[in-house]
């Protein structure tokens, strides 16, 4: 869908080609796009009215053609100023700034968190997850990439348990195995939802815990140099960092760094290694040679965010480190290619 709008064309970024200089020039004039098309589908789920890293991750997802962006689920945090409705507005503003208004579907997430352990919260975002997971007209694997609470995912699984084996959940949230921990932000948005997904559902999980996403630091000077000059969207993203201290009434001296904690959603779903994970068709591409992870039996997730180790059950993947070089440089390069700086 979005792939065809922003990156149709180039099958190689190489300078030398059998067609000579003319072919090379035509290739360099277009953003790189995989010759064989996307390798997966992506639903991007994020509290876009909350911390600004979700906005950077959304732009990165839109500009990355290896995953076909099937929709944006705009979620809330529980803070009245960070509602799902406000997140919808933010998603639509991003698309307008990228000259893509109306090109990607935006779905509102739940208006509240789960009030009881097994009672779902219906929302357009929840239904979007169900509908995309139930598709039978494509072999492309589906990633539901969440940089926030798990209300919509848990609700979708409760409403339609049969979809549990039809997507992989990539979640920025929680703390590291085996101890877990207390106070992690995305877990606290909806503790009951997170517990249901870990403890009672069968969905495959790739978790990026706080110890991993906290390493995704970028400096404001990097953003000023590599983001701000590139289109209306680049200037807008950079200004969000400039304006961030005002949100805290200048009580905090935020220095000159920010954590791009949601960008691993793009790295892990779209920038995996080039060989397939196994030789069985349809191929899946789920190796991450430069981002370390471990597969463990899913621990029980407790109400305070700590884990209780279990000896049996399904395995999940927990990331221990993130390839920040490739993740951030890929974002910077795509902004530069799609929105060349003036002059």
């Amino acid at each position: 869908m979005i792939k065809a709008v922003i990156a149709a064309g180039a099958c190689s970024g190489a300078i030398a080609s059998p067609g000579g200089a003319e072919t090379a020039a035509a290739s360099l004039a277009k953003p790189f796009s995989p010759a064989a098309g996307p390798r997966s589908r992506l639903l991007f789920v994020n509290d876009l009215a909350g911390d600004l890293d979700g906005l950077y991750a959304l732009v990165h997802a839109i500009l990355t053609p290896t995953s076909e962006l099937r929709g944006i689920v705009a979620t809330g945090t529980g803070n009245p100023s960070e509602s799902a409705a406000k997140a919808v507005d933010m998603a639509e503003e991003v698309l307008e700034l990228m000259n893509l208004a109306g090109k990607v579907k935006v779905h509102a997430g739940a208006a509240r968190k789960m009030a009881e352990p097994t009672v779902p919260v219906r929302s357009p975002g929840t239904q979007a997850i169900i509908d995309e997971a139930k598709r039978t007209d494509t072999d492309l694997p589906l990633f539901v990439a969440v940089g926030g609470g798990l209300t919509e995912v848990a609700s979708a699984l409760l409403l339609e348990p049969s979809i549990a084996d039809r997507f992989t959940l990539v979640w920025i949230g929680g703390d590291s195995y085996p101890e877990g921990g207390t106070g992690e932000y995305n877990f606290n948005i909806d503790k009951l939802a997170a517990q249901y997904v870990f403890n009672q559902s069968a969905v495959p999980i790739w978790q990026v815990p706080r110890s991993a996403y906290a390493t995704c630091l970028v400096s404001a000077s990097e953003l000023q140099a590599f983001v701000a000059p590139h289109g209306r969207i680049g200037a807008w993203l950079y200004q969000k960092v400039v304006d961030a201290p005002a949100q805290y009434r200048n009580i905090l001296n935020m220095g000159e760094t920010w954590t791009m904690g949601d960008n691993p959603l793009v790295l892990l779903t779209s920038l995996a290694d080039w060989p397939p994970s196994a030789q069985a068709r349809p191929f899946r591409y789920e190796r991450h040679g430069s981002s370390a992870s471990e597969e463990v039996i899913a621990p029980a997730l407790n109400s305070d965010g700590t884990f209780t180790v279990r000896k049996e059950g399904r395995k999940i993947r927990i990331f221990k480190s993130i390839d920040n070089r490739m993740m951030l440089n890929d974002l910077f390069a795509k902004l530069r290619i799609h929105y060349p700086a003036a002059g």
Side-chain angles (χ1 to χ4, degrees), residues 2-329:
I2 191 63
K3 173 186 75 69
V5 177
I6 65 171
C11 63
S12 173
I15 294 177
S17 69
E22 187 174 315
T23 302
S27 178
L28 287 170
K30 300 177 181 179
F32 182 89
S33 186
R39 302 198 298 192
S40 61
R41 293 172 289 145
L42 178 67
L43 276 176
F44 186 87
V45 184
N46 203 285
D47 52 338
L48 296 169
D51 288 342
L52 58 87
D53 55 312
L55 299 170
Y56 278 79
L58 174 58
V59 171
H60 200 179
I62 292 170
L63 295 178
T64 301
T66 298
S67 289
E68 181 183 7
L69 183 58
R70 296 296 305 167
I72 301 164
V73 179
T75 65
T77 67
N79 184 326
S81 66
E82 299 172 353
S83 65
K86 178 63 174 175
V88 168
D89 292 341
M90 298 299 286
E92 291 178 345
E93 186 171 2
V94 166
L95 292 170
E96 192 278 326
L97 289 166
M98 298 177 75
N99 299 318
L100 295 169
K103 300 298 184 181
V104 185
K105 292 182 179 179
V106 180
H107 310 274
R112 58 176 178 81
K113 64 183 180 181
M114 289 173 56
E116 298 181 44
T118 58
V119 179
V121 182
R122 295 182 182 272
S123 69
T126 295
Q127 191 60 46
I129 295 171
I130 294 171
D131 292 344
E132 189 63 34
K134 292 178 72 174
R135 284 179 61 193
T136 59
D137 60 337
T138 177
D139 288 332
L140 291 178
L142 173 62
F143 291 106
V144 177
V146 182
L150 290 173
T151 310
E152 293 75 18
V153 172
S155 296
L157 290 166
L158 282 162
L159 289 166
E160 197 68 55
S162 65
I163 66 171
D165 63 352
R166 299 187 63 84
F167 69 92
T168 298
L169 167 65
V170 185
W171 182 45
I172 307 291
D175 276 295
S176 298
Y177 182 87
E179 292 87 3
T182 60
E184 196 281 321
Y185 186 79
N186 288 342
F187 166 75
N188 283 336
I189 289 175
D190 194 334
K191 298 178 182 180
L192 292 179
Q195 286 186 278
Y196 177 81
V197 169
F198 269 76
N199 300 346
Q200 294 174 260
S201 82
V203 70
I205 299 172
W206 295 357
Q207 182 201 3
V208 182
R210 174 162 46 179
S211 58
Y213 73 69
T215 69
C216 302
L217 281 174
V218 65
S219 77
S221 295
E222 287 178 294
L223 300 179
Q224 185 175 16
F226 302 133
V227 174
H230 299 296
R232 293 189 298 154
I233 189 62
W236 184 83
L237 286 172
Y238 173 65
Q239 193 62 40
K240 291 293 182 184
V241 172
V242 173
D243 294 341
Q247 297 178 23
Y248 300 94
R249 300 179 183 177
N250 295 306
I251 294 171
L252 299 179
N253 183 343
M254 298 178 67
E256 53 182 289
T257 62
W258 196 270
T259 305
M260 293 297 162
D262 286 347
N263 280 79
L265 297 174
V266 181
L267 176 77
L268 300 178
T269 59
S270 304
L271 299 175
D273 298 358
W274 66 267
S277 307
Q279 295 305 311
R281 293 178 183 270
F283 292 137
R284 299 178 70 95
Y285 299 86
E286 299 179 347
R287 293 179 180 174
H288 301 90
S290 60
S291 295
S293 65
E294 60 180 334
E295 287 200 349
V296 304
I297 294 173
L301 180 55
N302 302 316
S303 60
D304 62 354
T306 61
F307 287 134
T308 298
V309 175
R310 295 193 284 197
K311 295 183 178 180
E312 59 182 23
R314 78 192 193 286
K315 287 189 173 182
I316 65 172
R317 187 182 301 189
I318 300 178
F319 281 85
K320 301 168 72 175
S321 67
I322 292 298
D323 185 348
N324 290 308
R325 183 211 63 81
M326 178 162 63
M327 180 180 74
L328 293 172
N329 283 350

